[in-house]
Amino acid sequence: MMKILVINTGSSSIKFALFQMPNGHELVSGLVEQIGEGIGAISLEINGEKHSEKLEIPNHQRGLTLVGTWLMNPKYHLISSPDEVHAIGHRVVHGGESFQETTVINSEVKEKIKELFGLAPLHNPPNYEGIEVAEKVFAKATQVAVFDTAFHQSLPPKAFHYALPKYLYADYGVRVYGFHGTSHRYVARVSAQYLGIEPQKANLITIHLGNGASMAAVKNGKSIDTSLGMTPLSGLVMGTRVGDVDPGVIFYLEEERGYSIQKVKNMLNRESGMKGLAGDNDLRAITERVANKEEEAQLALDIYCYRIKKYIGAYIAAIGPIHAIVFTAGVGENSAIVRQMVCEEMTHLGIELDQTKNTIRLDEIREVNVADSRVKILVTPTNEELEIANQTYQLLK
Ligand code: AMP
């Protein structure tokens, strides 16, 4: 038995979960938030019970020390010393082309993660900070990096290149990297197992619809195309991010309408997507408004689902015959109406939804297609933390 702590460090937060391996049992999960913002908070959930406290958390070092102290609280029976944590699996957003796989962290790996700051300026610096701090607080644990981009490193050149001047790739690394790789990898494997197919033989389209959203074309278990690109801005319509848009819009706004590049950047990242279309980035609110026959919300949902549908068509063309399409993450797992609208009039592609099965709510993997649908339609709950723990465990074993 081995205890593995998974941490996902953001600029002002640390999400954490402690797993017992190899059985993958989650012992506890929690969150440290508002780090460096005056009064912060730590909360955790254990056996369905929630505990939290508000206190000053000036920096990540204090935040992670606090996680250690809470895990050692005798009333939780988790660990009695930081040394009982065998390994820490760190979520690292950008691995560039340097990391195709989960990697044990050493000084060279840290240097490389640092070199990638420019490609993920919002994410890699706090991820790096999380590693530095964990090395001090859990000094005996093996530190492991699990990259969000790694699963998509199997993209062939024809899929990962942009049609830009060649030197931009050669000199600056401008190319498609893709994100949400840990989630796509996890749901692809679990879905293949559910279907009774060897994971390395599965042909799937995985559709991760959360606050951010992306799709992956998975052929023989490997990602061969994906909708997010060099940055998490392309592809599907997201909560606040634009997804695919003609880059000419940016020049029009700058040259003809006097927008600064900063303003356009903020707009494409934070004021577009569902928020831009209908004023709400939460799909639950949009769905309620659709039920109340609000046209603006209906159009936004139409655009959201139509984009997914187009990508399904594109990915079937890229993969060839597929075993299943897989819905996952907050929206994919919970929104029956999104799944229904995406799968409408797809019978000619072998995709046929069962309306009744689609509306049944369950927390586990399930099939929502009619019995004779050539392509299965799965709802597969994602679990990025468990996948990070699995990857970390496999590496140590
Ligand atoms: P995630 O990033 O995977 O945590 O997903 C967050 C998103 O899931 C939010 O935009 C929520 O609106 C969405 N979500 C959660 N439950 C539902 C639901 N029942 N219907 C529609 N969207 C949902």
Side-chain angles (χ1 to χ4, degrees):
M1 287 287 191
M2 202 185 253
K3 281 175 185 153
I4 292 181
L5 181 66
V6 172
I7 62 179
N8 180 358
T9 312
S11 58
S12 65
S13 68
I14 304 170
K15 270 193 213 156
F16 63 94
L18 184 68
F19 288 89
Q20 179 97 56
M21 301 305 285
N23 65 15
H25 178 57
E26 187 184 281
L27 300 168
V28 65
S29 69
L31 174 70
V32 181
E33 54 194 326
Q34 289 159 297
I35 296 172
E37 295 176 13
I39 291 299
I42 176 167
S43 55
L44 60 73
E45 189 171 330
I46 183 160
N47 303 326
E49 243 183 74
K50 291 190 172 132
H51 306 265
S52 66
E53 190 185 339
K54 284 194 186 307
L55 71 174
E56 203 180 328
I57 309 172
N59 51 39
H60 287 81
Q61 164 100 23
R62 175 79 191 113
L64 199 60
T65 306
L66 211 54
V67 172
T69 314
W70 276 51
L71 295 182
M72 285 188 287
N73 187 327
K75 75 177 176 201
Y76 301 142
H77 306 289
L78 294 168
I79 53 170
S80 48
S81 130
D83 300 350
E84 282 174 38
V85 173
H86 291 87
I88 302 200
H90 294 266
R91 176 184 187 229
V92 181
V93 165
H94 219 304
E97 286 186 333
S98 304
F99 300 105
Q100 321 233 332
E101 293 298 338
T102 295
T103 308
V104 172
I105 298 170
N106 56 27
S107 52
E108 198 186 326
V109 168
K110 278 166 66 181
E111 255 337 283
K112 284 195 179 145
I113 293 173
K114 232 179 175 174
E115 283 165 20
L116 295 165
F117 278 10
L119 284 176
L122 296 180
H123 294 103
N124 270 34
N127 296 160
Y128 182 89
E129 166 96 17
I131 293 168
E132 294 248 284
V133 167
E135 284 173 338
K136 290 183 203 138
V137 179
F138 296 91
K140 288 246 171 81
T142 309
Q143 311 285 334
V144 170
V146 181
F147 299 92
D148 244 23
T149 48
F151 182 56
H152 303 301
Q153 276 296 299
S154 47
L155 258 61
K158 67 181 174 192
F160 77 64
H161 278 292
Y162 293 120
L164 288 165
K166 267 171 80 175
Y167 75 90
L168 288 186
Y169 169 62
D171 296 351
Y172 307 143
V174 175
R175 53 160 286 180
V176 171
Y177 291 98
F179 299 90
H180 299 140
T182 306
S183 176
H184 288 292
R185 190 200 295 268
Y186 176 80
V187 297
R189 188 183 69 244
V190 170
S191 301
Q193 283 162 348
Y194 176 85
L195 295 170
I197 307 166
E198 284 177 51
Q200 61 275 26
K201 291 194 179 145
N203 292 341
L204 307 166
I205 296 173
T206 49
I207 310 174
H208 176 108
L209 306 174
N211 271 321
S214 69
M215 289 173 57
V218 178
K219 184 168 187 170
N220 296 324
K222 293 202 159 86
S223 175
I224 61 156
D225 208 344
T226 192
S227 62
L228 290 172
M230 178 171 117
T231 73
L233 203 50
S234 59
L236 304 181
V237 177
M238 296 172 243
T240 64
R241 284 180 251 155
V242 65
D244 290 338
V245 67
D246 176 357
V249 169
I250 299 166
F251 316 125
Y252 170 77
L253 292 176
E254 203 252 349
E255 288 165 8
E256 305 292 332
R257 300 287 166 187
Y259 283 53
S260 70
I261 282 293
Q262 265 315 316
K263 182 168 168 160
V264 179
K265 181 180 169 188
N266 192 52
M267 180 191 290
L268 299 183
N269 277 292
R270 297 177 199 277
E271 292 167 8
S272 299
M274 297 308 269
K275 184 163 180 225
L277 287 168
D280 265 314
N281 62 318
D282 193 315
L283 249 290
R284 277 168 295 207
I286 300 277
T287 310
E288 264 175 45
R289 288 169 57 194
V290 167
N292 292 331
K293 306 254 176 288
E294 269 193 52
E295 276 177 31
E296 184 185 66
Q298 182 66 59
L299 177 62
L301 197 61
D302 286 345
I303 296 168
Y304 183 91
C305 295
Y306 178 62
R307 185 74 54 82
I308 299 168
K309 211 179 176 70
K310 281 208 292 192
Y311 268 90
I312 291 176
Y315 286 174
I316 289 177
I319 302 171
I322 55 169
H323 295 109
I325 62 174
V326 181
F327 287 92
T328 194
V331 179
E333 291 167 31
N334 295 303
S335 177
I337 187 167
V338 165
R339 294 193 298 263
Q340 184 194 320
M341 286 171 65
V342 167
C343 295
E344 243 157 43
E345 293 177 28
M346 300 271 257
T347 314
H348 62 105
L349 291 175
I351 299 168
E352 206 173 339
L353 192 77
D354 182 314
Q355 303 290 348
T356 312
K357 284 189 197 159
N358 185 43
T359 50
I360 298 169
R361 298 186 72 100
L362 263 181
D363 285 337
E364 56 200 54
I365 186 165
R366 60 199 185 277
E367 208 172 296
V368 295
N369 49 274
V370 298
D372 60 354
S373 179
R374 187 157 44 79
V375 172
K376 305 282 186 219
I377 306 168
L378 301 184
V379 179
T380 307
T382 194
N383 193 336
E384 292 169 83
E385 290 76 22
L386 176 58
E387 179 63 13
I388 293 174
N390 273 329
Q391 295 264 331
T392 303
Y393 177 74
Q394 290 305 329
L395 192 65
L396 296 192
K397 209 176 59 165

